[in-house]
Amino acid sequence: MTWAQTPARGGDSETEEGASVILRCIGKDADAGPLGKPFTGPAVESRAREPTPVSP
């Protein structure tokens, strides 16, 4: 399992996209089972829900 993150952009951004970074997970296994739906499902399905508000 390998994790990689894109570099953060400096300063304040006017958009959410500009203030974001990409977190990439790369998993390799001879058996697709552990890295298939059980691994990716929760991440994909959590994006379908409304985001939880963050308190200041």
Side-chain angles (χ1 to χ4, degrees):
M1 183 95 36
T2 304
W3 292 89
Q5 177 180 323
T6 59
R9 299 176 184 130
D12 289 335
S13 177
E14 294 182 16
T15 65
E16 183 177 344
E17 181 180 359
S20 299
V21 297
I22 296 173
L23 180 60
R24 180 177 292 143
C25 177
I26 300 169
K28 295 182 180 182
D29 195 309
D31 179 11
L35 296 173
K37 180 77 172 175
F39 181 76
T40 60
V44 172
E45 293 164 9
S46 69
R47 291 189 51 90
R49 290 181 265 173
E50 290 294 316
T52 303
V54 177
S55 300

